[in-house]
Amino acid sequence: MIKRFLPILILGYSTLTCAQERNGKTVDSHIDSLLSVMTLEEKIGQMTLYTSGWDVTGPTLNENYKEDLKAGKVGALFNAHTVKYNSDLQRMAVEETRLGIPLLFGYDVIHGHRTIFPLPLAEASSWNLDLIKETARLSAKEAAASGLNWTFNPMVDIARDPRWGRIAEGSGEDTYLGSLIAKAKVEGYQGDDLSDPFTVLACVKHFAAYGASQAGRDYHTVDMSDRVLRETYLPPYKAAIDAGAATVMTSFNELHGVPASGSRYLMTEILREEWRFKGFVVTDYTSINEMVPHGVVANEKEAADLALNAGVDMDMQGGVYNDHLATLVNEGKVSEKQVDEAVRRILEMKWRLGLFKDPYRYLDEKRELQVLFSKELMDHALVSARESIVLLKNEPYNNKKLLPIANDVKSIALIGPLGDNQIDMLGTWHASGDANKVVTVLQGLKEAFPKAKITYTKGADFMGSDKSGFEEATKNARAADLVIMAVGENHQQSGEAASRSGLDLPGVQQELVEAIYQTGKPIVALVMAGRPLTIGWMDENIPAIVNTWHLGTMAGKAIAEVLAGKYNPSGKLTITFPRNVGQIPIYYSMKNTGRPFDADSKYTSKYLDVSNEPLYPFGYGLSYTTFEYGEPKLSKIEIKEHENLTIEVMVKNTGEYEGQEVVQLYVRDLVGSVTRPVKELKGFEKISLKPGESKVVTFTINSDNLKFYTRDMSYRVEPGEFLITIGPNSAEGKTAQFTLK
């Protein structure tokens, strides 16, 4: 029993009234006491993160890792969850090691743990920061109930190339919106007090600029100017740090010729010195090892040297620190003081979680049973799924719009590989989501339209050229009053290591849609994917198109409620949909060029074979009702630096349904010392209006909203003329102009 309480005796924790007391000297003095009795190998162990595995019988730990754990050479584990399993591991760390330092348990809780919410790119389409924060809070609650205390999320990479599969994990193309969502997620995961056993440490990733991987290919090079890095890609990370994010994950890519895990510029100069980040930095999976094939070091020993000197505190899975750091210290390549600083940051996070006071505070089997798949989580999964759905098109068929579907519809033919599919509703990175809990589209339709005859035919698969299912699908379509096509990607066709060079419907799904179109029946297309797809043919030919993404556990119910008109769709895209991959990169805030598009002049910036305009622009999304925008009214037409400018606009619901509208404010700096984007999002508000109801929406901006990196790379505002646009998306709106003196 003496061994069990050794760390408590060493640190004198019995004198504390609260393990979360962060009266600087108190925390520091106790960590100093622990560092003073740790061997170099034990310190390096705290800087080492290894993975657990999963077998048919449940979670399992590699025997080598188990021996390392007992030897004090492991400070954290990931992919280890369930209270029973983690309790055994924590007991091993606390009771069978010399110092009894508790473990951190991490996991990729990206959009839910067991209950799965919409993909992050999908949920961003809600433009509802409170909803997004609540999703993070509930994800943390369920994960924490399963014995986890650290999530490798939020992913805040700005991404403008939908070929990159990991675009599904982020918030889209816009820096301003992405920064607000980053803040909301950190606050949701971490709450107000990390010692609350329903909170987890957030981990901001991937630092930095991973979303700009060349050619949209995962793990590929990133090459950009410091101006682009700082204006477009860094702000969401900074917003997450300012919100209190406890940890940061390095990215796989190189930047300025140096892999991120070896970049002192990123990890020390920007993150710690400029931003004053106090948490710890963990690598992505084996990214220290991967600096060898990057070609910036000759071997893993050099990689360990480069990573620690860059400012990396914890090595995920590579074992490089465990293998080489002690030798590097003995050789004087790195100092033990550097090791101590890294360990101090890791131990402080364990302290803040309350693990030194109670290593088992996250390990309560009764609480686990109460929280997993609770009504609170399932209800929110439905709410978030509904708000994530984007209506792309709803044109009349025989003089009547197909959506919402009439309650008296007699028969529906549901066709497509996603129509009665549980696993793929969960989408990429669905962690420990239970496919058996998923409500499919077929199930949702049967509940929403109990009197209708509903047939289901798969028709085609996600890969291959098999068209044998077309005949039955066509037969069912001809016999029905309405066809609903459920097409798109499976959960493995987007996400990590899932880049695609083409964005058409995979397999023979496009041919299936065209075959059903030939029947002449009215069609509603449900497009389900983790990224924008090139659906130009459907936009031209199918009267109603709903982009449903991958919505998680309650997907089918949410989709059916939208189709039935029980919920009026309100989602707006946060990523531009291209007409074809040749337009990529395409995003709303591009530069104007010296020869902007002119249809009457050949020698202007355009394509010979396709419009410059996207298929669907950033901010776009329809409703079952319609909204009318008035002219923007400015409180003044001239402002001085630090003065506020108030802009008001009247928005009216001119349709027949109650609905929500995301009113968007864009600003263009007409002349700058460096070229400026054609417009930038600077504000938005989501409002709800009944038929005939009007509301004045008010925005306030000042010079802080207008700053940018000027010609000399100073971050400031420049006097001049500014154009304001307020509207329903980035391509439409009413304008006004003001001057900053």
Side-chain angles (χ1 to χ4, degrees), residues 70-134:
K70 291 178 180 179
K73 292 184 177 181
V74 180
L77 290 168
F78 68 110
N79 293 336
H81 65 96
T82 72
V83 166
K84 185 178 186 305
Y85 179 61
N86 286 13
S87 294
D88 291 340
L89 294 173
Q90 192 71 293
R91 190 172 296 108
M92 198 180 299
V94 172
E95 299 185 15
E96 297 184 37
T97 65
R98 189 176 77 91
L99 295 177
I101 300 172
L103 292 166
L104 285 176
F105 292 105
Y107 200 57
D108 283 288
V109 182
I110 307 300
H111 54 114
H113 176 51
R114 301 299 309 280
T115 307
I116 303 301
F117 304 105
L119 291 171
L121 184 61
E123 196 171 57
S125 300
S126 72
W127 294 62
N128 186 335
L129 299 175
D130 291 336
L131 176 84
I132 291 167
K133 181 177 177 179
E134 180 68 358

Side-chain angles (χ1 to χ4, degrees), residues 42 73 84 125 135 164 196 202 235 277 284 317 333 366 469 501 537 564 615 618 647 662 690 696 727:
E42 286 169 333
K73 292 184 177 181
K84 185 178 186 305
S125 300
T135 294
W164 189 54
D196 179 341
F277 174 61
D284 208 336
Q317 189 56 23
K333 299 273 183 73
K366 182 178 179 182
S501 65
W537 186 92
L615 185 62
F618 174 88
I647 309 113
V662 180
K690 296 177 181 178
V696 174

Side-chain angles (χ1 to χ4, degrees), residues 40 44 301 323-333:
L40 178 59
I44 294 168
K301 180 181 174 184
D323 291 342
H324 300 290
L325 213 48
T327 301
L328 289 167
V329 171
N330 293 331
E331 292 176 352
K333 299 273 183 73

Side-chain angles (χ1 to χ4, degrees), residues 722-735:
F722 294 83
L723 183 69
I724 284 175
T725 304
I726 299 179
N729 58 66
S730 62
E732 302 176 66
K734 303 288 184 69
T735 62

Side-chain angles (χ1 to χ4, degrees), residues 47-53 61-62 64-65 68 73-74 76-79 150 152 249 252 282-290 300 314-323:
M47 302 167 66
T48 298
L49 170 64
Y50 283 139
T51 185
S52 175
L61 190 65
N62 179 302
N64 291 332
Y65 295 162
D68 284 342
K73 292 184 177 181
V74 180
L77 290 168
F78 68 110
N79 293 336
W150 186 20
F152 303 129
M249 182 184 289
F252 287 118
V282 62
T283 70
D284 208 336
Y285 197 102
T286 68
S287 69
I288 297 181
N289 316 61
E290 292 163 26
E300 290 185 355
M314 185 180 284
D315 172 12
M316 180 190 286
Q317 189 56 23
V320 181
Y321 279 179
N322 252 343
D323 291 342

